[in-house]
């Protein structure tokens, strides 16, 4: 798979309908829920999906709420392992979704940069070289040596986006392109995303924005009930999305 | 470390069984820098904003030691020349075990933000707990040095019991946390069960008294055998005491072998359970 960045073969994923608290201890201990799929407790969020994305391609995924878009991104990102089928990805993956979490409140902004970097697999030296540019982009250099709990949520989001966007991923997974910070920062982050999308990275975007899809993507799929309803053709997918929306 | 451009990540529906422990150590080696980062993060934030800082990790054991020492002086007439030392090291070692298990139980839950953002082997969270607690233990053991000096205890070859016992305690705590952390993602009662069990264990294990108070008590000999098998911590704490004081273990070598093998078995079964269930469990976070 020299040119293939992402390959999904017959991938299915079950997701619990009720999160923690609803389960029986016995169920966990015996693993009963693994063998007999309890229809009441699990629903199939991604259903027997095949997808091949070549290196450098930009693929969009549209669909109604709850159609499995975000779950699919997490499957590609390796956060959820498939319950059936195989997922193969090549290179460093970054999932951009709801930035800001995963930080430590008691560490300073600078320390959080180092920590996040190490989670993404960067060494101490690489991160030391990278952090001035991260701090610069985030625009919060005055607060960078303060603990994170003193930050406003906007500052946290800016730092989060700035770190993640510097991780130079080979595969970039974008969930609902973010709108964080003030107008100026939104513009810069939008530009940065487009720069990444147009660069070498392989990108999968989940969004409701028709303009964004039309502008950036090579292929767009329509996802509903965990399955692709279109073959990836941009215009027909957008048409289906728009007609579905009107039908609501 | 981490993943570079050409590395291919392949995820299947199948989960490892017998290869699980090997896969785990492979992951640990690959992600050792991350492990180090998590440990230093915990060390940095543990006493953040407190004045005495590290002092707190010895203040509590010291206070408990004084309490139990006074209690024994009043209630018991048995003579242990090293009593303060034995109580203190018992409490420190038990704390290492108990904290690893209780913090390990909630490790996945506490780190759900990270888990849902990026993939890396989740067992790192459990291992970083044991690493963090080990550093804490070694730091707080500094207070033992004046006591060792006071009692004129010079380390002999017996000292080798110490790393062995610590290794076994760590394996036991991690092995159990492999089970409890997964169950905790689904059933939040687990942490409370662990807390209660550890509290009971504190009294039923020779933490602030010595093993001979159980083995040479009114309990018949065959029951004290069962006790030693059922509570591996009793053996490990006694090993640690003997390592420093040179007192005879009072545990037969066949008992030792059984206890150590059972701990290794718990660790291996735990690692298989964790590797097989972890991917289902993270969906509950």
């Amino acid at each position: 798979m020299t040119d293939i960045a992402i390959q999904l073969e017959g991938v299915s994923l079950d997701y619990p309908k009720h999160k923690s608290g609803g389960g029986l201890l016995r169920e966990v201990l015996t693993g009963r829920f693994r063998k007999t799929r309890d229809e009441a407790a699990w629903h199939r969020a991604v259903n027997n999906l095949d997808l091949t994305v070549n290196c450098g391609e930009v693929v969009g995924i549209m669909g109604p709420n709850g159609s499995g878009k975000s779950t699919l991104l997490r499957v590609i990102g390796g956060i959820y392992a498939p319950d059936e089928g195989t997922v193969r990805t090549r290179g460093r993956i970054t999932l951009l979704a709801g930035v800001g979490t995963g930080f430590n409140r008691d560490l300073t902004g600078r320390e959080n940069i180092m920590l996040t970097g190490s989670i993404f697999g960067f060494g101490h030296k690489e991160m030391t070289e990278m952090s001035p540019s991260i701090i610069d982009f985030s625009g919060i250099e005055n607060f960078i040596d303060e603990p994170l709990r003193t930050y406003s949520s906007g500052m946290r989001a800016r730092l989060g986006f700035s770190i993640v966007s510097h991780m130079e991923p080979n595969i970039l997974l974008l969930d609902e392109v973010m709108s964080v910070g003030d107008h100026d920062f939104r513009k810069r982050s939008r530009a940065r995303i487009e720069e990444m999308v147009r660069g070498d990275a392989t990108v999968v975007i989940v969004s409701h924005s028709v303009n964004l899809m039309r502008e950036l993507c090579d292929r767009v799929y329509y996802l509903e009930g965990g399955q692709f309803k279109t073959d990836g053709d941009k215009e027909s997918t957008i048409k289906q999305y728009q007609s579905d929306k009107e039908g609501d | 470390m981490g993943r570079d451009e050409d590395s291919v990540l392949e995820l299947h529906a199948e989960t490892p069984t017998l290869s699980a422990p090997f896969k785990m150590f492979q992951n640990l080696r690959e992600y050792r820098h991350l492990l180090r980062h998590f440990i230093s993060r915990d060390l940095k934030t543990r006493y953040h904003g407190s004045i005495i800082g590290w002092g707190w990790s010895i203040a509590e054991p010291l206070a408990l030691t004084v309490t139990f020492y006074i209690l024994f002086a009043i209630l018991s007439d048995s003579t242990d020349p090293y009593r303060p030392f034995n109580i203190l090291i018992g409490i420190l070692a038990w704390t290492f075990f108990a904290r690893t298990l209780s913090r390990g139980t909630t490790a996945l839950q506490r780190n759900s933000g990270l888990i849902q953002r990026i993939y890396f082997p989740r067992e790192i969270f459990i291992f970083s707990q044991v690493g963090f607690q080990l550093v804490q233990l070694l730091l707080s053991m500094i207070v033992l040095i004046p006591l060792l000096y006071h009692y004129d205890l010079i380390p002999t070859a017996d000292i080798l019991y110490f790393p062995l016992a610590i290794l076994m305690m760590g394996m036991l705590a991690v092995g159990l946390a492999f089970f409890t952390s997964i169950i905790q993602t689904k059933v939040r009662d687990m942490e409370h069960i662990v807390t209660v069990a550890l509290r009971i264990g504190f009294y039923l294990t020779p933490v602030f008294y010595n093993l001979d108070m159980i083995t040479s008590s009114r309990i018949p000999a065959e029951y004290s055998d069962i006790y030693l098998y059922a509570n591996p911590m009793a053996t490990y704490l006694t090993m640690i005491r003997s390592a420093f004081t040179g007192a005879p273990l009072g545990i037969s070598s066949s008992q030792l072998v059984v206890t150590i093998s059972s701990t290794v078995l718990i660790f291996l079964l735990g690692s298989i359970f964790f590797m097989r269930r972890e991917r289902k469990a993270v969906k509950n976070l």
Side-chain angles (χ1 to χ4, degrees), chain B residues 18-44:
Chain B
L18 290 177
S19 65
F22 301 102
K23 181 85 188 114
M24 212 170 235
F25 280 109
Q26 197 185 321
N27 285 343
L28 274 187
R29 256 194 46 177
E30 198 177 329
Y31 287 84
R32 60 187 180 280
H33 296 275
L34 187 55
L35 190 65
R36 216 187 50 213
H37 254 277
F38 279 138
I39 293 173
S40 74
R41 173 192 70 172
D42 285 348
L43 283 170
K44 260 187 213 155

Side-chain angles (χ1 to χ4, degrees), chain B residues 137-178:
Chain B
L137 171 70
L138 296 178
L139 282 176
S140 36
M141 280 181 66
I142 292 170
V143 295
L144 291 173
I145 292 172
L147 280 174
L148 286 173
Y149 187 77
H150 172 75
Y151 290 120
D152 237 351
L153 288 171
I154 292 143
T156 62
D158 286 343
I159 198 78
L160 289 176
Y161 276 134
F162 175 69
L164 176 63
I166 291 295
L167 175 71
M168 297 322 292
M169 281 166 62
M171 279 178 89
L172 185 63
V174 169
L176 292 172
F178 280 149

Side-chain angles (χ1 to χ4, degrees), chain A residues 74-98:
Chain A
R74 285 178 169 181
V75 173
I76 297 173
I79 288 160
Y80 298 147
D83 290 302
E84 280 165 32
T86 306
V87 178
R88 274 187 219 98
T89 48
R90 190 184 167 80
R92 205 192 309 266
I93 308 179
T94 298
L95 172 67
L96 260 178

Side-chain angles (χ1 to χ4, degrees), chain B residues 170-202:
Chain B
M171 279 178 89
L172 185 63
V174 169
L176 292 172
F178 280 149
F179 290 101
T180 56
S181 60
I182 296 284
I183 297 171
Q184 171 72 7
T185 61
K186 182 107 178 137
V187 191
R188 296 284 151 95
D189 307 84
M190 198 63 230
E191 59 175 315
H192 304 293
I193 297 173
V194 168
T195 306
V196 173
L198 284 173
R199 179 57 51 86
I200 295 171
F202 180 79

Side-chain angles (χ1 to χ4, degrees), chain A residues 110 113 126-138 141 166:
Chain A
R110 198 183 297 278
I113 293 176
E126 291 170 284
M127 284 313 291
T128 317
E129 284 165 12
M130 226 185 285
S131 58
S133 143
I134 293 176
I135 296 166
D136 186 52
F137 188 85
S138 69
E141 48 277 72
H166 278 77

